[in-house]
Amino acid sequence: MLFLRSLLHTLWMVITVIPYTLGVLLARVLGLPVMVRWRIGTAWLMLSVHAARWFCGIRYRVQGLEHLPTDPHQGVVLLAKHQSTFETFLLPGILPRRIAYVFKKELLSIPFFGWSIGSMDMIHIDRKHGSRAFHKVVEQGKRLLGEGVWVAMFPEGTRVGRGEVGDYKSGAARLACMCGVPVVPVAITSARCWPRNGFVRYPGTVEVSIGQPIPTTGRKHDELTAEVQRWIEAEMRRLDPEAYP
């Protein structure tokens, strides 16, 4: 039954992404503002999140939204735990500002979905290019943060399994320090319901906890990364104690 429900959810997403992508592409062709494309794309993402509840019984609960800056011109770098696809769909819909993911360019080749994110003014990189890839992140990140867009990065670099701790990289903290914007740590227990690289989804509640913004003025990126890691991993243990015996 769980497999069937997961299959129905997947098929639902495959079918519904087509008209929404066509809407995004049409808005781009017509030269409409990127915010219009963002709203169309985010509508599909949240529809997929709601469908996860309808088909698979996956709910979510968010705490800490009151910690987020209210100044529309204030850029921040979000550093989030990454355990599954779920949080990449959820974050754009629950945050009060447009966000720009930093993602690998291979995602652009995914039919419809990749075409949509390629139209959203985000930051896609080729990891094989090493330092050149980071220079691109800095160049585009400075522009977006200056426009009040929030840049979202996963400091572990890739999805990690439930109860696991990845290698926290300092690129996001370096970007924030260079741009003089705060970082906001986010803990998410998505693997409880949607395991990393797993097809079968399980009913339950995904907990999302948003931490206090951490100023970057006068900070070193490595110590800032360590502070973010300590907060996220402590919060993960609080939110999902069964995953950390």
Side-chain angles (χ1 to χ4, degrees), residues 75-103:
V76 302
V77 176
L78 298 157
L79 285 81
K81 188 73 176 179
H82 193 20
Q83 292 187 326
S84 79
T85 303
F86 189 80
E87 58 265 15
T88 62
F89 282 34
L90 180 63
L91 288 177
I94 64 174
L95 295 172
R97 298 284 182 275
R98 179 164 72 92
I99 68 174
Y101 281 116
V102 177
F103 63 92

Side-chain angles (χ1 to χ4, degrees), residues 81-84 87 156 158-166 188-198 200-207 233 236-245:
K81 188 73 176 179
H82 193 20
Q83 292 187 326
S84 79
E87 58 265 15
E156 291 162 289
T158 187
R159 288 172 286 187
V160 297
R162 185 183 181 192
E164 296 180 1
V165 181
I188 308 172
T189 64
S190 57
R192 175 190 289 171
C193 300
W194 191 330
R196 178 190 65 169
N197 300 326
V200 175
R201 286 136 231 184
Y202 301 89
T205 300
V206 173
E207 302 283 355
E233 295 306 325
M236 291 297 294
R237 285 166 170 77
R238 184 183 73 85
L239 297 172
D240 191 12
E242 295 177 357
Y244 299 89

Side-chain angles (χ1 to χ4, degrees), residues 102-221:
V102 177
F103 63 92
K104 57 185 180 181
K105 72 169 189 176
E106 288 81 1
L107 294 180
L108 296 173
S109 62
I110 300 176
F112 295 100
F113 177 79
W115 306 340
S116 288
I117 60 175
S119 302
M120 296 292 181
D121 194 16
M122 297 189 185
I123 307 172
H124 60 273
I125 59 172
D126 188 339
R127 291 177 176 175
K128 293 182 293 186
H129 287 167
S131 60
R132 278 192 295 168
F134 181 71
H135 289 323
K136 181 176 182 180
V137 172
V138 172
E139 179 183 358
Q140 296 190 23
K142 282 184 176 179
R143 174 180 61 82
L144 290 165
L145 290 166
E147 296 171 1
V149 177
W150 294 357
V151 175
M153 300 178 71
F154 299 111
E156 291 162 289
T158 187
R159 288 172 286 187
V160 297
R162 185 183 181 192
E164 296 180 1
V165 181
D167 178 20
Y168 277 67
K169 299 171 179 60
S170 63
R174 289 171 62 192
L175 171 64
C177 290
M178 293 174 71
C179 297
V181 300
V183 299
V184 175
V186 185
I188 308 172
T189 64
S190 57
R192 175 190 289 171
C193 300
W194 191 330
R196 178 190 65 169
N197 300 326
F199 179 80
V200 175
R201 286 136 231 184
Y202 301 89
T205 300
V206 173
E207 302 283 355
V208 181
S209 180
I210 301 170
Q212 296 271 6
I214 303 173
T216 59
T217 304
R219 299 293 301 274
K220 295 181 179 179
H221 58 79

Side-chain angles (χ1 to χ4, degrees), residues 56-77:
C56 306
I58 300 176
R59 292 172 168 77
Y60 66 89
R61 183 164 47 223
V62 183
Q63 55 186 287
L65 285 171
E66 68 277 6
H67 296 155
L68 295 171
T70 56
D71 182 353
H73 304 293
Q74 175 64 66
V76 302
V77 176

